[in-house]
Amino acid sequence: MTRTFSQPIRFQTKHVITIAAVALAGMSVCSQVQADQWSQFRGDQANGVAETSHPAQWSETKNVAWVHPMQGEGWSCPVVWDDRIFLTEAVPSGTKAESDGDDNNRAQGKDPSQKTYQWQVVCLDSQSGNELWRKTAREGRPVMERHSSNTYATETPVTDGKHVYAYFGMMGVHCFDMDGKLVWQRDLGQYKMRAGWGTSSSPVLLNDKLFLQVDNEEQSFLVALDAETGEEVWRVARDEPSQYSSPIVWKNSLRTELIVGGTNYRSYDPQTGELLWQLNMQKGRSSATPLAIGDRLYVGTEYRNRGGSDDGGGYLFAIAPGGQGEIGTSEDSANDKSVVWKNPESGIQMASPVLCKGHLYLLERRSGVVHCINADTGEMVYEKRIPRARAFWASPWVMDDQVFCIDTNGTTFILSGGPDFEVVGKNEIDELTWSTPAIADGALYFRTASKLYCIRD
């Protein structure tokens, strides 16, 4: 039976998660397993869990192994494979005066879309921070505008250890080998985005296929490309406006599904593109990327109340595997069981949720508020403002039994996992930060607007 909570329920009791599906994952999401890869947005499993320990304390000088200066703009996250780090940047071309940074340009009323950029993929040595190679995937003027807070390199690349795939939204997708040789590139078309805000949806890999969610104001679609050649394997049209979340692969006990956000959350067969199920989110905006842990999938859209066509949303759903067709509808009692619970006041916004010690953590964008939800029942455990926290745009991550949350000032607040609100630490790097870090082989790779820090003992 679906449970709905119209008001947040606050309580302070110890709770041990009883979701059988989490047990199927084979380990606690707060455990540590040695791993040298962080191959995509939010890690190999797209769940924001650090599988190796990094230092719990850092600053602009403390526990800093090296610092690499950025040449251009980008909120894309670093990805790691063995001893290599991959980044994307949109580097302004021309004279220094023309390339002095978009913050100054915006302050002077200059339009970034009228500038010339080089869309670049950068490979660094993880031990030294030295640049191994830098390749320009494309050069020219952008084919679309972007929001002043967005960049022209916001999508996070993905790698399988043989190739690195860099997607720059309407500027195309580009495949390089590990030594920087261009293998293939593909233009997926140019389409208007809502209010000229730009794009942000990152690609995802599964076996021999690369999946891209291209939602826009003209012709939205989901496409699977052959990872070796770039040839189109399948494409499905989507009745969706511009969305900003990234797809994920959900490997549950029944099947493997490709989960894609929107005003209707949808599940597709990764092999064929066949629609498996869809869930009406009651509008809202899909910015946060979904979270899958074993046999539980957590999806939500940001609540909107701006007088637009997407007004509504704000729901967070817990989904069980096996759904078919329209799920979460009272007309279909069998598929209604696919929705384990829904919470209409979850606080989900831009940052993607994480799970630690049986609780979900969701960060509000502008108020510095964290919401803690019981992952088993959907009940709101607490809703607290983190003292002196600014806006949260980057997604949190989990290490051991703690949740790490970066605000836009580069300050990372460390919360104790579980039902009790406790800020147990704070680390400061005084720089604008919207990018979510990568964690691999005992190091934290922390990207700000101007630098990449390697935090390591």
Side-chain angles (χ1 to χ4, degrees):
M1 179 177 179
T2 301
R3 296 186 288 269
T4 302
F5 301 96
S6 59
Q7 296 294 331
I9 299 173
R10 295 172 173 80
F11 55 92
Q12 300 292 326
T13 59
K14 296 289 184 181
H15 180 77
V16 179
I17 192 166
T18 58
I19 301 174
V22 175
L24 292 172
M27 62 180 179
S28 166
V29 296
C30 297
S31 66
Q32 297 179 40
V33 178
Q34 185 67 28
D36 296 327
Q37 273 55 275
W38 189 274
S39 61
Q40 62 180 347
F41 177 54
R42 304 230 297 159
D44 281 8
Q45 306 303 316
N47 59 11
V49 174
E51 294 184 333
T52 61
S53 294
H54 59 72
Q57 297 181 339
W58 66 85
S59 67
E60 294 177 28
T61 56
K62 183 176 183 179
N63 282 329
V64 176
W66 50 259
V67 180
H68 179 84
M70 298 288 103
Q71 293 187 18
E73 67 177 42
W75 291 133
S76 60
C77 308
V79 296
V80 185
W81 193 277
D82 292 336
D83 59 353
R84 298 192 174 199
I85 303 167
F86 299 99
L87 297 162
T88 60
E89 298 183 67
V91 182
S93 301
T95 66
K96 184 180 186 302
E98 294 172 331
S99 309
D100 262 343
D102 279 335
D103 287 337
N104 291 334
N105 289 331
R106 288 192 293 271
Q108 299 169 20
K110 296 180 181 178
D111 182 359
S113 68
Q114 299 305 306
K115 297 171 61 176
T116 299
Y117 291 85
Q118 292 182 343
W119 281 266
Q120 296 185 341
V121 181
V122 185
C123 178
L124 306 179
D125 178 86
S126 65
Q127 294 303 307
S128 66
N130 293 335
E131 192 171 292
L132 300 178
W133 52 261
R134 175 183 292 266
K135 299 295 181 180
T136 297
R138 182 166 174 169
E139 183 172 9
R141 286 191 174 182
V143 297
M144 64 177 181
E145 298 176 346
R146 65 162 173 79
H147 192 276
S148 60
S149 61
N150 201 354
T151 72
Y152 283 121
T154 297
E155 296 84 359
T156 297
V158 60
T159 181
D160 56 7
K162 298 185 297 181
H163 301 102
V164 57
Y165 304 88
Y167 177 51
F168 295 104
M170 305 305 176
M171 304 305 291
V173 57
H174 310 264
C175 172
F176 293 86
D177 68 15
M178 302 300 274
D179 296 320
K181 179 183 177 182
L182 181 65
V183 178
W184 56 261
Q185 56 188 350
R186 188 174 181 89
D187 188 339
L188 296 175
Q190 291 82 44
Y191 310 96
K192 291 181 180 178
M193 294 294 292
R194 176 177 179 173
W197 287 346
T199 60
S200 67
S201 182
S202 300
V204 64
L205 271 172
L206 177 64
N207 301 328
D208 57 349
K209 294 181 180 63
L210 179 73
F211 304 100
L212 300 114
Q213 177 182 354
V214 190
D215 288 345
N216 54 77
E217 298 301 295
E218 298 182 67
Q219 187 180 319
S220 297
F221 59 92
L222 176 69
V223 64
L225 304 180
D226 185 289
E228 292 289 334
T229 66
E231 295 298 316
E232 190 170 302
V233 179
W234 54 256
R235 177 188 294 225
V236 293
R238 285 170 49 80
D239 181 20
E240 290 285 348
S242 301
Q243 304 293 338
Y244 307 94
S245 58
S246 301
I248 66 165
V249 173
W250 181 24
K251 296 181 178 180
N252 55 61
S253 61
L254 299 181
R255 61 194 178 193
T256 297
E257 306 178 40
L258 181 64
I259 307 300
V260 184
T263 53
N264 286 279
Y265 251 88
R266 295 177 175 92
S267 168
Y268 299 88
D269 183 333
Q271 294 300 314
T272 64
E274 176 189 359
L275 181 65
L276 301 176
W277 55 259
Q278 69 177 22
L279 172 65
N280 188 335
M281 304 299 293
Q282 300 181 43
K283 298 188 177 182
R285 185 170 65 193
S286 181
S287 299
T289 294
L291 173 67
I293 304 289
D295 270 11
R296 284 295 176 268
L297 172 70
Y298 304 98
V299 301
T301 55
E302 178 182 359
Y303 173 71
R304 302 287 293 170
N305 185 21
R306 304 288 183 87
S309 60
D310 62 349
D311 277 4
Y315 284 90
L316 181 71
F317 291 82
I319 308 297
Q324 297 288 338
E326 296 280 348
I327 68 171
T329 61
S330 57
E331 291 80 8
D332 187 343
S333 58
N335 275 326
D336 198 52
K337 296 176 182 177
S338 297
V339 177
V340 181
W341 54 255
K342 62 180 178 180
N343 186 320
E345 299 179 347
S346 67
I348 189 169
Q349 293 189 359
M350 305 294 287
S352 303
V354 290
L355 174 68
C356 186
K357 296 189 72 174
H359 292 77
L360 296 163
Y361 297 84
L362 304 100
L363 303 174
E364 289 192 15
R365 181 169 66 254
R366 300 191 185 281
S367 58
V369 170
V370 57
H371 297 251
C372 175
I373 294 176
N374 184 307
D376 190 15
T377 66
E379 296 172 319
M380 184 73 72
V381 178
Y382 66 73
E383 178 184 340
K384 298 285 188 178
R385 191 184 191 285
I386 300 175
R388 292 177 292 281
R390 302 295 294 271
F392 290 112
W393 293 81
S395 296
W397 73 96
V398 171
M399 184 180 75
D400 298 327
D401 291 342
Q402 297 176 333
V403 181
F404 293 71
C405 314
I406 306 175
D407 73 6
T408 55
N409 280 7
T411 300
T412 304
F413 298 87
I414 308 173
L415 308 181
S416 177
D420 299 319
F421 176 72
E422 183 181 7
V423 180
V424 297
K426 182 172 72 171
N427 300 315
E428 296 185 68
I429 292 180
D430 188 18
E431 293 189 38
L432 182 64
T433 305
W434 282 19
S435 180
T436 303
I439 303 102
D441 203 17
L444 175 76
Y445 300 99
F446 189 108
R447 181 177 187 170
T448 69
S450 63
K451 303 179 183 71
L452 178 69
Y453 290 81
C454 174
I455 308 298
R456 188 167 59 213
D457 285 328

